Amino acid sequence: MLGYISRQAAYRAPVGVLRRNISSTRSVMAESTSDAKDLEEIVEIELPASSFEGYMLDVPDLNYKVSKGALLQMYKDMIVIRRMEMACDALYKAKKIRGFCHLSVGQEAIAVGIENAITKRDTVITSYRCHGFTYMRGSSVQAVLAELMGRRSGVSYGKGGSMHMYVEGFYGGNGIVGAQVPLGAGLSFAHQYKNEDACTFALYGDGASNQGQVFEAYNMAKLWNLPCIFACENNKYGMGTSAARSSAMTEYFKRGQYIPGLKVNGMDILSVYQASKFAKEWCVSGKGPLVLEYETYRYGGHSMSDPGTTYRTRDEIQHMRSKNDPIAGLKMHLLELGIATEAEIKAYDKAARKYVDEQVELADASPAPEAKMSILFEDVYVPGFETPTLRGRISDDTWDFKKQGFAFRD
């Protein structure tokens, strides 16, 4: 399988250890057709002038250098995420995934571009379209899918579902529209307080951009000069409402007013990578917060219950798929730069499909949580730091952590 290495580590910490501690083993796949020296070779990227638009700042350089291995890794990351999201679609239609499920097919360049531009010291927080970010931050595909199916081996142990996924350095997956933005400002404050050479990417959609808490977070971040990147994933539609119908000003990168902004072609991973690297350098150098707008597009509906074709035409969707797809765009660059041949790319695609299929089988075979009351209370406190009891809905529902049972029941 061309040495496909997942981002999986042991996904269940022992009892008594702080959980959601999933570390990443992500690395470039061992190549059967290219040796390590080839992948270390540096190539020069030349972006079109339309890649960026700045507000109160000079845009990033359109020319930059990157290794062949980094570009190849970004391609492999995107095809795994797309396969994973397609698997989610099939599992939902098979009624193995229930409830809310928001897919990011078409938007893969953002999660992948950001992760390849930052380090594990940096923190990321986003909204409910979070599967790709969860994988990029260190989860295995199996743990994402198991979570969606409510299994014990899921990243949130089957309790969170599609909208609530967490791994080390990734703070969700948040279901309340826009509420993750002030949380992101708080994460960046923690970096500043601890004198860490790190920043936070706080992502939100165009549909959340008019939330009052977003502007409150802008204000606080600018007052305190926090290393926070407020990143709007503008996928053109907030649920079924186009951006133009919900926002009086759709230039979201200018919404910071007193905070500089940058608009990025979010369908081109080479632009996303360069912009994300620029944004991190901006913040950690002490220049304060930045507002990014990744202009992207989701091919599917808002969620699985939305066909996505009642408020936009099929022609519009097909045009974006055929002319702007991030995976197809990077594939073209890999061929042009001699990083991979057509046959090698087909082999990578086949390996990704096989890998995800295997992860689906593992997730589907994993057990559901046991039917015992203690599971409901085990993630309220860090193990070892619990209060003696946790008050319930009524007195008889009070939980005793030492007893591992109800306090006032025999």
Side-chain angles (χ1 to χ4, degrees):
M1 209 162 66
L2 293 180
Y4 231 105
I5 299 175
S6 77
R7 297 166 182 276
Q8 178 179 0
Y11 50 73
R12 177 152 303 281
V15 175
V17 177
L18 177 61
R19 305 197 310 164
R20 302 188 182 94
N21 186 28
I22 303 170
S23 61
S24 172
T25 57
R26 169 180 172 260
S27 64
V28 177
M29 292 184 294
E31 301 303 322
S32 61
T33 50
S34 304
D35 60 34
K37 287 186 179 180
D38 287 340
L39 295 178
E40 290 172 2
E41 185 180 338
I42 301 299
V43 294
E44 187 162 338
I45 301 298
E46 184 176 347
L47 298 173
S50 58
S51 299
F52 309 123
E53 184 178 346
Y55 170 68
M56 297 200 310
L57 55 68
D58 294 326
V59 301
D61 290 336
L62 295 172
N63 295 295
Y64 68 93
K65 294 179 180 179
V66 65
S67 71
K68 288 183 175 181
L71 294 178
L72 191 56
Q73 182 64 51
M74 285 189 266
Y75 181 80
K76 292 168 182 174
D77 287 337
M78 285 199 293
I79 59 177
V80 167
I81 292 174
R82 180 159 296 182
R83 282 288 168 189
M84 178 176 69
E85 294 289 64
M86 290 168 66
C88 291
D89 181 276
L91 289 166
Y92 195 95
K93 289 171 180 174
K95 297 185 178 181
K96 291 187 176 182
I97 295 174
R98 302 294 186 120
F100 296 103
C101 186
H102 304 86
L103 305 183
S104 61
V105 178
Q107 299 182 211
E108 297 89 353
I110 298 173
V112 175
I114 290 173
E115 187 62 34
N116 280 277
I118 64 177
T119 70
K120 292 302 178 185
R121 294 191 304 274
D122 301 301
T123 48
V124 178
I125 187 168
T126 189
S127 64
Y128 39 72
R129 207 175 300 279
C130 64
H131 308 159
F133 286 99
T134 309
Y135 171 70
M136 289 304 298
R137 286 265 84 187
S139 171
S140 66
V141 170
Q142 175 192 354
V144 171
L145 297 176
E147 182 59 37
L148 286 161
M149 290 189 277
R151 306 301 171 84
R152 186 68 164 157
S153 61
V155 288
S156 297
Y157 312 108
K159 298 179 178 181
S162 177
M163 295 193 287
H164 305 289
M165 297 187 177
Y166 311 89
V167 293
E168 188 172 357
F170 179 61
Y171 292 82
N174 292 267
I176 300 175
V177 177
Q180 73 277 8
V181 179
L183 295 178
L187 290 168
S188 64
F189 174 77
H191 289 311
Q192 184 188 77
Y193 185 81
K194 294 188 285 186
N195 294 313
E196 294 175 340
D197 185 27
C199 67
T200 298
F201 276 78
L203 295 115
Y204 54 98
D206 52 287
S209 65
N210 298 316
Q211 286 279 319
Q213 58 198 325
V214 173
F215 298 93
E216 293 175 52
Y218 286 170
N219 182 62
M220 187 175 289
K222 186 60 176 178
L223 277 173
W224 294 347
N225 216 40
L226 300 180
C228 190
I229 297 146
F230 297 101
C232 177
E233 290 184 274
N234 177 12
N235 63 21
K236 307 297 186 181
Y237 298 93
M239 296 187 74
T241 304
S242 67
R245 291 178 58 218
S246 65
S247 297
M249 187 181 82
T250 57
E251 293 178 300
Y252 298 104
F253 68 107
K254 296 180 180 179
R255 290 287 193 94
Q257 189 180 352
Y258 37 77
I259 300 175
L262 179 66
K263 184 178 181 179
V264 186
N265 178 5
M267 300 301 280
D268 175 19
I269 193 165
L270 301 181
S271 301
V272 173
Y273 169 75
Q274 176 71 339
S276 302
K277 198 166 60 165
F278 170 88
K280 175 178 175 172
E281 290 169 358
W282 175 283
C283 286
V284 299
S285 66
K287 294 180 181 179
L290 194 63
V291 176
L292 293 188
E293 177 187 348
Y294 295 112
E295 193 171 41
T296 185
Y297 195 85
R298 55 173 166 80
Y299 298 157
H302 170 73
S303 67
M304 289 299 297
S305 60
D306 170 22
T309 54
T310 58
Y311 48 85
R312 55 184 181 173
T313 65
R314 295 184 186 276
D315 287 343
E316 176 185 313
I317 300 168
Q318 184 56 38
H319 172 78
M320 293 301 294
R321 277 185 176 274
S322 60
K323 302 293 184 182
N324 297 279
D325 185 73
I327 294 175
L330 183 54
K331 174 184 174 180
M332 179 186 69
H333 287 292
L334 294 179
L335 293 170
E336 289 177 348
L337 293 168
I339 297 172
T341 65
E342 189 76 50
E344 287 170 340
I345 288 172
K346 285 181 179 178
Y348 300 143
D349 294 343
K350 183 178 179 180
R353 183 168 60 251
K354 182 179 179 183
Y355 165 67
V356 172
D357 287 346
E358 290 171 350
Q359 295 286 288
V360 169
E361 290 179 11
L362 289 170
D364 195 19
S366 62
E370 295 178 68
K372 58 183 183 179
M373 293 300 299
S374 61
I375 287 177
L376 297 177
F377 302 93
E378 65 186 10
D379 291 311
V380 179
Y381 294 100
V382 174
F385 293 87
E386 305 94 341
T387 58
T389 59
L390 181 66
R391 188 177 67 182
R393 181 176 52 88
I394 58 175
S395 178
D396 282 354
D397 289 345
T398 299
W399 185 259
D400 187 312
F401 283 100
K402 186 175 181 180
K403 180 182 175 183
Q404 282 295 291
F406 289 107
F408 307 121
R409 300 187 196 178
D410 294 331

